[in-house]
Amino acid sequence: MCRNIKTLRPPVTPDADEDDFRAAALQYVRKVSGFRAPAAHNREAFDRAVEAVTEATAQLLAELEVRGAAARAAQPAG
């Protein structure tokens, strides 16, 4: 499910931002709901779900501790 959602966790995607979180959330909600674009009577619930998943994604990525990431970031490239 949702095979096209890319990994947003650093260092895999170090520059992921709110737009990336929202795009992933939109893909997820579309897949789970079965609606690419919901009907007017479902729009509010759909949009709330996208917002909730976007926020949860941002919170998750902010709280994850990636082992060795600090050491890799401190090493000079080359």
Side-chain angles (χ1 to χ4, degrees), residues 29-68:
V29 172
R30 283 176 173 168
K31 184 70 167 186
V32 170
S33 70
F35 296 120
R36 174 150 173 69
H41 63 278
N42 288 324
R43 170 59 65 188
E44 192 173 318
F46 187 91
D47 290 344
R48 271 196 314 269
V50 171
E51 186 59 33
V53 174
T54 300
E55 290 175 17
T57 301
Q59 181 178 352
L60 171 66
L61 294 175
E63 294 177 4
L64 284 178
E65 181 179 324
V66 180
R67 291 186 175 179

